[in-house]
Amino acid sequence: MIRTFQQHRLRSSRLLDGLWDFVFDKSNVGLAEGWHERFPGGADRMPVPACWNNELGKYDYEGVAWYRTRVTCEEAGHLRLIFHAVMGHADVYWDGRHLGHHFGGYTPFGFTMPNEEAGEHELVVRTDSTLEKNTLPTHAVDWFHYGGIIRPVELQQLPDVSIGGLRITYEMTGESTAQVQVSVSLQSLSAASAEVPVTLFRDGAAFHSETVTLPAGGTATLQVSQEWSGLRRWEASAPALYLIRAVAGTDDWTDRIGFRTIETKGKKILLNGKELYLQGVNRHEEHPEWGFAFPNKLMTKDLDIILQMGCNTIRGSHYPQSEYWLDLLDERGVLFWSEIPIWGAFLPKVDTADPILVERALTMMDEMIERDLHHPCILFWSVHNEIDTRSQEAYDLSVKLTGLVRCKDRSRPVTYATMHPLEDICLGLFDVIGINYYNGWYQGHVDRFAGLLEAFHERCREYGAEDTPVLMTEFGGAGIYGDTGWEPRLFSEDYQAHIVSRALQIFRADPLVSGTYIWQFADIRGDVRSDRSYFRDRARSFNNKGLVNEYRKPKLAYRVVKGIYTGRTDHYDWGSTLI
Ligand code: ADA
């Protein structure tokens, strides 16, 4: 399932997931040799969705690979093909015809194919996972870069007039009242003009009906604005959700919203007018057996583990995560920090001004907001991580990205994570500031956090950010699972637990800090390469700063953080898990 609820009941939709033909194109000759028309013989088989690096013998391949499947359509008609995420470049061919290209990795893209014939069709995808200086992320990045079709592929049948999108926005006008705008875009693939009855439903009850006229092959938008009352707010303790459905002729589209406000006031972050203290972790959507093709079932378990630890928020480091995951967070009342993969620790400042990188960043940001705008769980949009925010280039990029976010969505704060808190010149551009800092690990003794924060608050005053909330968005250290002893040695579970708990103590005592995101939830594969010097401290080729290991087994730090976040010192409270 792509979502936790059914988006279409009338529109027929099927997943093309399964075993596809697959071949690496290590010398990149496929285009010249026309593989989209004549797929090479003797190809392998590859699961879709999946990352090829998780299959035997394919671990470290980065580059071009081709996929092919055959699709049988029982009837002639219009089709919509949706890729929910393909890593890097994707070129899609249908019966040899180039449908289009997408660059990205974590956001969906699709193609509408009118008047297709019944019978068997061939679908070919050329992917390229190569990382370069202007890809997102770039070639120097601290996570394993998997390749492949990582999320489902969906094929829908469209009627002559179909719904192109459903957009719901609102403004709370009182505790339980809101001014709600619903906009339904309609498209016609018919040679004749059409009159289409459209009905809108909230949780199954119709609230608007109207007939819309579409010219032949044209588009139209239905816009409705209504004051709604008797609404329940989306709160962490009671995350009320509403299904909004549009039915237009023989097509339908359902999405889900929750009513809440997010604001900042001085150094505080307010949810529904109430002050929030954020207790979080950073989570990569990654697992050593599945890579980025993270199974839905494991998402439920990740979330259970994180909630049991006492978190009320998660940072989706460092890229747009699955829609299914966001649906789960909506349902469980967990707040989410959503970001795009501009990972800058090793990114030269000149590269942040590369027009291709800037264009790709704006596109991915736009696609992420388009996909996820309705999720009440999303608390912040974050535009970059650890770029050189001492530089004019980073300032200019921040202006462009924050401008785009504010133009698309004014209902959420825009944020970023800085690794240069004392030299950052971008502080005044954001609604919330995140600090990534590793005292106790890369940068001296953990106790130095108190002095760092004092100096940082002073700098905020100089840069017009004295009323901007501050979060500690990364801190921690590596602890190798199972390595414990009588002294807290570096890389032991003991030392990791010590620095995380000491850092939390300092941050929680600072009234100007509004919350913490520990680095990180689970150990992840690192991008350790024999020809590069980065990440030589990544033992086992993993970033070992997880509170749980890559198989989600708890380390000492997990239990210690659970004690702090839940306010219970009994770290070995097994809850209802013991019979
Ligand atoms: C950075 C970065 C993370 C991770 C971390 C670490 O802060 O944002 O992705 O690389 O450092 O483990 O060093």
Side-chain angles (χ1 to χ4, degrees):
M1 275 182 82
I2 296 159
R3 309 292 304 266
T4 60
F5 59 91
Q6 209 179 333
Q7 275 211 288
H8 302 284
R9 272 148 51 195
L10 296 176
R11 182 184 297 189
S12 98
S13 161
R14 63 178 146 144
L15 294 183
L16 301 182
D17 300 355
L19 279 180
W20 292 31
D21 297 325
F22 177 82
V23 63
F24 282 149
D25 184 2
K26 291 187 177 166
S27 319
N28 196 11
V29 294
L31 279 178
E33 292 182 2
W35 290 5
H36 50 289
E37 286 169 335
R38 292 172 308 283
F39 202 80
D44 253 343
R45 303 279 277 163
M46 178 63 64
V48 169
C51 300
W52 65 64
N53 314 74
N54 294 109
E55 306 308 312
L56 289 183
K58 299 184 173 58
Y59 175 68
D60 51 8
Y61 180 72
E62 178 182 296
V64 183
W66 292 71
Y67 287 79
R68 190 256 312 261
T69 191
R70 293 204 168 83
V71 181
T72 304
C73 297
E74 294 303 325
E75 295 166 14
H78 316 305
L79 299 174
R80 174 110 186 122
L81 178 64
I82 304 168
F83 289 83
H84 285 272
V86 179
M87 292 311 295
H89 296 273
D91 281 281
V92 179
Y93 302 88
W94 180 255
D95 294 332
R97 188 170 93 235
H98 188 227
L99 294 181
H101 170 264
H102 180 261
F103 173 79
Y106 309 91
T107 44
F109 57 95
F111 307 97
T112 299
M113 293 125 68
N115 303 311
E116 287 295 329
E117 286 174 8
E120 190 179 88
H121 298 271
E122 187 186 58
L123 173 60
V124 172
V125 184
R126 175 186 184 273
T127 68
D128 185 354
S129 67
T130 310
L131 294 182
E132 291 168 281
K133 74 180 183 55
N134 53 21
T135 50
L136 259 66
T138 66
H139 54 87
V141 67
D142 186 15
W143 64 84
F144 189 88
H145 189 64
Y146 297 91
I149 301 178
I150 62 161
R151 293 188 190 145
V153 183
E154 193 181 357
L155 186 67
Q156 304 178 337
Q157 264 170 269
L158 298 183
D160 276 353
V161 172
S162 61
I163 300 172
L166 175 63
R167 178 56 76 220
I168 308 134
T169 54
Y170 62 83
E171 237 164 87
M172 297 308 296
T173 50
E175 189 43 41
S176 59
T177 55
Q179 188 67 36
V180 181
Q181 282 84 32
V182 181
S183 155
V184 185
S185 55
L186 299 165
Q187 65 203 16
S188 162
L189 295 170
S190 157
S193 67
E195 304 261 300
V196 190
V198 182
T199 304
L200 303 177
F201 300 84
R202 182 179 104 200
D203 282 348
F207 62 86
H208 182 85
S209 287
E210 186 178 329
T211 298
V212 178
T213 307
L214 278 101
T219 57
T221 305
L222 168 75
Q223 270 167 326
V224 177
S225 179
Q226 287 187 356
E227 169 96 4
W228 289 359
S229 57
L231 297 170
R232 283 165 298 127
R233 295 245 182 167
W234 186 90
E235 305 272 6
S237 52
L241 294 167
Y242 293 87
L243 285 170
I244 310 296
R245 179 168 185 238
V247 175
T250 56
D251 196 23
D252 71 338
W253 188 302
T254 301
D255 214 328
R256 201 170 62 175
I257 57 165
F259 292 95
R260 88 275 179 278
T261 57
I262 299 164
E263 311 146 78
T264 65
K265 199 169 177 191
K267 287 284 187 196
K268 306 293 177 207
I269 299 166
L270 309 181
L271 175 68
N272 291 324
K274 285 172 264 169
E275 189 182 328
L276 259 185
Y277 187 81
L278 294 170
Q279 300 196 141
V281 279
N282 285 272
R283 171 190 180 260
H284 268 274
E285 193 158 273
E286 192 260 2
H287 186 284
E289 300 301 332
W290 286 277
F292 293 146
F294 203 92
N296 293 347
K297 188 253 159 212
L298 279 186
M299 293 186 200
T300 312
K301 183 134 185 205
D302 272 9
L303 187 53
D304 285 342
I305 297 171
I306 291 171
L307 286 178
Q308 192 159 299
M309 199 182 3
C311 292
N312 57 9
T313 185
I314 297 165
R315 176 170 174 227
S317 41
H318 287 293
Y319 37 78
Q321 305 201 341
S322 306
E323 285 178 272
Y324 192 88
W325 170 248
L326 299 180
D327 282 340
L328 291 178
L329 300 182
D330 285 344
E331 290 167 18
R332 308 280 291 272
V334 185
L335 294 156
F336 191 67
W337 164 307
S338 195
E339 71 186 37
I340 56 167
I342 303 189
W343 189 92
F346 300 136
L347 185 66
K349 62 184 180 191
V350 290
D351 291 351
T352 51
D354 181 325
I356 297 176
L357 181 122
V358 174
E359 184 51 42
R360 286 174 171 166
L362 289 166
T363 303
M364 200 185 287
M365 199 76 220
D366 185 78
E367 290 178 352
M368 176 171 83
I369 298 176
E370 280 295 316
R371 191 196 72 170
D372 296 337
L373 187 81
H374 293 153
H375 288 280
C377 68
I378 294 186
L379 178 61
F380 309 125
W381 300 119
S382 175
V383 300
H384 46 64
N385 177 71
E386 295 193 347
I387 64 172
D388 189 350
T389 43
R390 300 166 297 188
S391 69
Q392 188 59 36
E393 289 86 343
Y395 188 93
D396 295 343
L397 178 66
S398 304
V399 168
K400 290 187 185 117
L401 286 165
T402 54
L404 172 82
V405 173
R406 291 188 175 120
C407 175
K408 290 192 76 76
D409 182 17
R410 281 251 161 217
S411 73
R412 294 173 173 97
V414 50
T415 187
Y416 74 123
T418 178
M419 67 184 287
H420 301 291
L422 303 184
E423 297 160 290
D424 194 308
I425 61 167
C426 302
L427 299 176
L429 295 175
F430 292 89
D431 303 319
V432 171
I433 299 165
I435 300 178
N436 293 359
Y437 221 76
Y438 284 86
N439 281 335
W441 192 252
Y442 302 121
Q443 286 139 328
H445 199 276
V446 64
D447 284 344
R448 289 169 63 176
F449 270 128
L452 174 90
L453 281 170
E454 208 176 298
F456 176 72
H457 297 321
E458 184 49 43
R459 188 168 175 89
C460 281
R461 285 187 272 276
E462 281 164 35
Y463 277 75
E466 64 274 29
D467 282 336
T468 308
V470 176
L471 301 168
M472 295 308 301
T473 33
E474 287 189 32
F475 56 97
I480 307 285
Y481 177 70
D483 183 22
T484 59
W486 293 112
E487 58 286 318
R489 281 170 293 98
L490 282 168
F491 284 101
S492 66
E493 286 195 29
D494 314 274
Y495 183 70
Q496 179 195 26
H498 162 68
I499 56 173
V500 170
S501 57
R502 179 72 189 118
L504 282 175
Q505 205 178 24
I506 296 170
F507 304 148
R508 291 164 81 86
D510 185 332
L512 301 182
V513 171
S514 299
T516 50
Y517 289 92
I518 299 162
W519 187 266
Q520 62 182 330
F521 165 56
D523 291 347
I524 52 160
R525 274 193 204 284
D527 192 28
V528 185
R529 302 187 192 202
S530 50
D531 61 344
R532 295 188 193 164
S533 57
Y534 317 124
F535 310 128
R536 277 294 178 266
D537 73 338
R538 303 298 191 253
R540 315 182 297 128
S541 291
F542 276 77
N543 182 320
N544 294 291
K545 299 188 189 75
L547 300 175
V548 299
N549 77 357
E550 66 274 24
Y551 296 110
R552 280 57 182 162
K553 305 281 182 222
K555 301 182 197 170
L556 178 60
Y558 174 87
R559 302 189 197 283
V560 170
V561 171
K562 181 177 166 193
I564 298 170
Y565 274 0
T566 60
R568 298 180 59 152
T569 45
D570 177 5
H571 308 150
Y572 293 88
D573 167 28
W574 300 106
S576 56
T577 51
L578 283 186
I579 302 167

